[in-house]
Amino acid sequence: MRVTAAVRDGWVVVSPYEGPELAPISIAVGSQESWQPAYLDWVDGVRVAKIRTPAPTGRPVQVWLRVGDTVTSAGKVVI
């Protein structure tokens, strides 16, 4: 699954989300120790996984998406 991350309206958004609806879905920002449960939503007609934006750092940070036991890099965002 090829996904990208973006900051949008106070959320870290990973899109497109094409995985199962009922799997455990988490997003980590900055460290793979910072997993948070993700919400599924629709943004501009695209299914996405998202979490609230963590405290601002002003620096690019890595974002990962975990669906079940599978972890995928979603790129970097500036928080």
Side-chain angles (χ1 to χ4, degrees):
M1 169 182 357
R2 174 111 169 102
V3 296
T4 58
V7 175
R8 189 173 187 158
D9 299 325
W11 295 88
V12 174
V13 177
V14 176
S15 66
Y17 179 77
E18 298 174 346
E21 297 286 322
L22 299 177
I25 304 161
S26 304
I27 296 175
V29 177
S31 163
Q32 286 196 29
E33 305 298 318
S34 65
W35 293 105
Q36 297 180 35
Y39 298 96
L40 293 180
D41 198 1
W42 292 94
V43 175
D44 297 331
V46 176
R47 191 69 163 158
V48 301
K50 65 183 187 177
I51 62 169
R52 278 292 187 193
T53 305
T57 64
R59 296 179 297 139
V61 292
Q62 183 66 42
V63 177
W64 295 272
L65 173 69
R66 180 171 64 192
V67 179
D69 294 329
T70 303
V71 176
T72 303
S73 174
K76 293 185 176 183
V77 297
V78 175
I79 302 291

